[in-house]
Amino acid sequence: AQKITQTQPGMFVQEKEAVTLDCTYDTSDQSYGLFWYKQPSSGEMIFLIYQGSYDEQNATEGRYSLNFQKARKSANLVISASQLGDSAMYFCAMREGSYGGSQGNLIFGKGTKLSVKP
Amino acid sequence: DTAVSQTPKYLVTQMGNDKSIKCEQNLGHDTMYWYKQDSKKFLKIMFSYNNKELIINETVPNRFSPKSPDKAHLNLHINSLELGDSAVYFCASSQDSGWYSGYTFGSGTRLTVV
């Protein structure tokens, strides 16, 4: 079963509007971290935002915020005031608290390709 | 100063060859990783390594082997390259193995096997 599900393969948003990228996750651990990364066409992986499972407040970093709904196991990324430079692939990822073997490593969703229209 | 650096950025080679990709981090992190990103952009863990333990994803062919001369370096050696090995390979590091610890990625190496 997929640990991280991103149901939107591609999305379009008008410049200056807000956009929400969906992410749901599956874990039985109480301790886990949720991460969002951006991959522009140049290929590098850029860390955007982090949410810990025990954090009561939603994480925010500039124009990025994470809508964390623990009971629903969702961690959606909200980008406010979209800019042309936001056009990229966006990956949701999770690290679980039980490490050893393959657990504890960062596991990625399949990504959402965001295109910002002028 | 680049935090996680990989070389080369591009690598084109023939089937059957042996090649290496180098990775260095100057962040003082304890744990390093190799990921493979396929043509559909899916990122999959290949190895994780700290100075105590190498953990290998069981789906990785044994033609792939990580080599770590010290804590700041984790190189990837690939023997008998196959067409299906064509992908982008990312090196990454994290401060430790904790679930709260994010990764810093290198800029990737695009490997093309012809």
Side-chain angles (χ1 to χ4, degrees):
Chain A
Q2 281 189 58
K3 291 270 189 177
I4 299 285
T5 303
Q6 294 181 254
T7 56
Q8 307 150 315
M11 285 195 71
F12 288 91
V13 64
Q14 202 68 37
E15 195 178 7
K16 298 181 186 176
E17 291 185 350
V19 63
T20 298
L21 305 184
D22 294 342
C23 173
T24 58
Y25 59 92
D26 181 26
T27 182
S28 55
D29 282 354
Q30 297 301 307
S31 305
Y32 52 90
L34 297 158
F35 303 80
W36 278 91
Y37 285 83
K38 172 184 178 182
Q39 187 177 39
S41 58
S42 51
E44 69 270 30
M45 295 290 289
I46 302 167
F47 166 74
L48 295 178
I49 197 166
Y50 161 79
Q51 180 87 41
S53 57
Y54 298 109
D55 296 340
E56 294 184 350
Q57 304 247 355
N58 286 341
T60 59
E61 289 285 349
R63 293 186 299 111
Y64 304 107
S65 60
L66 201 153
N67 184 358
F68 181 45
Q69 298 189 43
K70 194 169 181 177
R72 297 177 66 180
K73 294 189 175 177
S74 75
N76 298 339
L77 177 69
V78 181
I79 306 174
S80 62
S82 297
Q83 301 172 356
L84 295 178
D86 294 335
S87 294
M89 282 288 288
Y90 288 82
F91 292 96
C92 180
M94 176 175 67
R95 287 192 85 170
E96 293 173 292
S98 310
Y99 44 88
S102 58
Q103 290 177 315
N105 291 320
L106 200 61
I107 304 165
F108 286 86
K110 293 186 176 180
T112 296
K113 185 172 182 178
L114 178 66
S115 299
V116 180
K117 298 187 287 186
Chain B
D1 219 14
T2 306
V4 181
S5 60
Q6 289 179 235
T7 53
K9 189 166 175 63
Y10 300 97
L11 184 54
V12 181
T13 187
Q14 290 188 324
M15 271 198 314
N17 283 351
D18 302 338
K19 289 293 177 185
S20 296
I21 306 171
K22 295 185 177 180
C23 179
E24 176 182 4
Q25 55 97 1
N26 62 6
L27 297 166
H29 285 173
D30 284 339
T31 311
M32 296 183 73
Y33 311 85
W34 278 102
Y35 277 78
K36 178 181 180 180
Q37 186 174 42
D38 62 23
S39 57
K40 295 184 178 178
K41 301 288 189 181
F42 184 59
L43 282 147
K44 191 172 181 181
I45 181 80
M46 299 177 70
F47 305 100
S48 65
Y49 185 79
N50 62 24
N51 56 10
K52 300 171 189 173
E53 192 176 16
L54 170 68
I55 299 171
I56 302 171
N57 185 321
E58 64 270 13
T59 66
V60 174
N62 57 16
R63 298 181 294 103
F64 290 78
S65 57
K67 299 268 195 283
S68 180
D70 56 55
K71 194 172 118 170
H73 297 83
L74 184 65
N75 303 325
L76 183 65
H77 295 271
I78 316 169
N79 294 326
S80 303
L81 277 154
E82 300 177 357
L83 293 176
D85 298 332
S86 295
V88 179
Y89 292 84
F90 284 97
C91 177
S93 70
S94 66
Q95 188 169 1
D96 53 41
S97 301
W99 52 269
Y100 42 79
S101 196
Y103 289 20
T104 302
F105 283 85
S107 57
T109 296
R110 182 175 293 277
L111 172 66
T112 304
V113 182
V114 298

